[in-house]
Amino acid sequence: MKIALYAFDDITMFHLAAPLMVFGEVARLGLAFDWETQLWSDRGGSIRTAEGYALGDLSGPSSVDWADIVIVPSWPVTLPPIGDALRAQLRGAHQRGAEIAGLCLGSFAVADTGLLEGRSAVTHWMKMSELRERNSQLELDESVLYIDHGDVMTSAGTASSIDACLHIVRKHLGSGAATRVARSLVVAPHREGGQAQYIERPLTRAAEDTAIANVLEWSLGRLNEPLPIERLAERARMSRRSFVRQFQLATGVTPARWVLEQRLAESRTLLETTTWSIDEISAACGFGSAVTFRQNFVAAFAVTPTAYRKQFTHDEKDARR
């Protein structure tokens, strides 16, 4: 997998470091041997970051022709319209089959190409209104961390770039690989694209809230068991009403939604890494029946568990070639 990462003067180091860190870990962990990332700029050579550091030895626009994925990891805070050359490069890459991703304010550049016309997109919550005014044909959703249309992807605020990059790893190498990368980097292995942006709140408070954090850890070890709100609230030693309120503040979703997301995430790992039957996986993940499992899986991922397993078994073999 060849990934071209666009850089420009005054970009912050974090916006470059997040994808470099995630994709670099794929190679460092030996999860795939053909993953390579290149930094490129309009002219090649060097740029100066927002922090005042010079980054040299960047390649030029030819990297776009080389790449399977082209990422615009941010955009100048003044939000200038995309230049004709970059627009043509991104559209040309998309036309030949490369995936295009705009992370954080990079969504503005991708939206300016027209590749998102009539589709949904997301960017940093503080700039959503400006993106809406600038691209009236977009359907904007401030309640998600990232949106992947398969060929074009956008993500929300700064830290969501990590979630989006882990999603790219999961998409191409499976959830087992993404989980290993996340654990190595000591970040959450999977926050669904449908998890809300936490507007004017920290991205997660669970680590600060000992009671909620304990419930999360405790629940992950009991996904095969019934986990109604009453049981979770009792574990946290809170009233049902107080628990639901504190849980949503800490995670951004309801307890029921969080439990479902964890069951689905675990089911994907088991589909990819075991030969267990659908009945065995549905029981291990607490769905109660294979029918309920299939219904929830299809609703979440638009593919049956069996088809998903076949897809990722094939992808894993390809990644090892």
Side-chain angles (χ1 to χ4, degrees), residues 71-148:
I71 297 177
V72 182
S74 186
W75 198 240
V77 294
T78 56
L79 303 178
I82 193 173
D84 291 339
L86 182 57
R87 179 189 290 108
Q89 289 154 5
L90 294 179
R91 288 188 65 88
H94 178 265
Q95 187 173 12
R96 67 172 174 76
E99 297 175 26
I100 308 298
L103 308 181
C104 195
L105 297 185
S107 301
F108 278 80
V110 174
D112 281 355
T113 66
L115 295 175
L116 285 166
E117 186 171 344
R119 302 165 112 178
S120 55
V122 64
T123 190
H124 193 289
W125 64 270
M126 292 181 66
K127 300 296 184 181
M128 289 289 281
S129 60
E130 292 173 66
L131 184 58
R132 184 176 288 109
E133 292 172 5
R134 183 155 152 175
N135 297 272
S136 59
Q137 300 301 311
L138 294 183
E139 178 187 340
L140 300 182
D141 188 350
E142 65 183 22
S143 68
V144 298
L145 296 176
Y146 55 81
I147 298 174
D148 185 6

Side-chain angles (χ1 to χ4, degrees), residues 10 26 38 62 64 89 92 106 115 138 160-161 171 175 185 188 219 229 233 239 244 264 281 284 288 292 301-302 311:
D10 290 327
V26 169
Q38 282 189 4
S62 60
V64 178
Q89 289 154 5
L115 295 175
L138 294 183
S160 301
S161 297
K171 175 180 175 180
S175 63
L185 299 176
S219 300
I229 292 175
S239 67
V244 171
L264 289 169
I281 292 174
T292 301
F301 308 119
Q311 172 189 343

Side-chain angles (χ1 to χ4, degrees), residues 141 143-146 190-196 198 216 219-220 223 227-230 232 240 243-244 247-249 251-266 268 285 287 292-293 295-302:
D141 188 350
S143 68
V144 298
L145 296 176
Y146 55 81
H190 190 212
R191 296 196 299 163
E192 289 284 358
Q195 182 172 331
Y198 305 126
L216 298 183
S219 300
L220 288 173
L223 292 177
L227 294 172
I229 292 175
E230 291 76 13
L232 301 180
R240 187 183 192 279
F243 173 73
V244 171
F247 193 97
Q248 287 188 274
L249 284 173
T251 67
V253 293
T254 65
R257 179 65 193 176
W258 183 86
V259 169
L260 176 59
E261 289 176 353
Q262 306 318 305
R263 295 192 199 280
L264 289 169
E266 178 66 10
R268 292 203 293 186
C285 297
F287 284 102
T292 301
F293 172 41
Q295 289 173 340
N296 280 279
F297 198 92
V298 171
F301 308 119

